[in-house]
Amino acid sequence: AAQASLEAWRSEEARRLARERRVLEQQSKALLKLPSKKEKSAIEALEQQLERERSDAKAAAARHRLTVERLRCQSKELQVTECACCRVYGCLGIGSPLRD
């Protein structure tokens, strides 16, 4: 009876130790997947660089939109000036300042 209880305790301990070993292995694998301090700082630097690039691109797009709008306005003004000139000089005829 003592031998049987000893064997039962022994097999129970073996199962408990095997379970603990599996848990520890899983935890160590999970820890290995986490980034190190060096990797974290590199990731943070890249994220900051990406944010700077995005803000630069946004500013460039805004400048581009303003330039396009300014050029549209200038084009409309020139068309209006051209139409007025055509009325006065007869469609870019002789003596028209726009003929050059």
Side-chain angles (χ1 to χ4, degrees), residues 13 55 58 63 68 73 81 90 100:
E13 282 296 308
S55 67
K58 192 181 287 187
R63 284 193 308 272
V68 167
C73 287
T81 304
D100 297 337

Side-chain angles (χ1 to χ4, degrees), residues 67-85:
T67 301
V68 167
E69 186 59 34
R70 178 178 51 80
L71 291 174
R72 275 195 189 119
C73 287
Q74 286 179 353
S75 174
K76 286 179 184 177
E77 288 173 5
L78 286 174
Q79 288 172 355
V80 168
T81 304
E82 184 178 287
C83 288
C85 189

Side-chain angles (χ1 to χ4, degrees), residues 3-26:
Q3 183 71 20
S5 66
L6 181 62
E7 286 298 320
W9 175 81
R10 193 176 193 192
S11 65
E12 184 63 34
E13 282 296 308
R15 279 194 297 271
R16 185 181 65 77
L17 288 173
R19 184 172 48 243
E20 286 179 6
R21 185 173 30 247
R22 275 196 314 272
V23 169
L24 287 174
E25 286 175 0
Q26 289 173 351

Side-chain angles (χ1 to χ4, degrees), residues 40-78:
K40 285 180 185 178
S41 66
I43 290 170
E44 187 175 327
L46 288 172
E47 287 175 346
Q48 289 174 353
Q49 182 182 358
L50 180 60
E51 187 60 34
R52 281 193 306 270
E53 294 293 330
R54 283 181 178 159
S55 67
D56 291 348
K58 192 181 287 187
R63 284 193 308 272
H64 176 70
R65 282 192 302 273
L66 289 174
T67 301
V68 167
E69 186 59 34
R70 178 178 51 80
L71 291 174
R72 275 195 189 119
C73 287
Q74 286 179 353
S75 174
K76 286 179 184 177
E77 288 173 5
L78 286 174

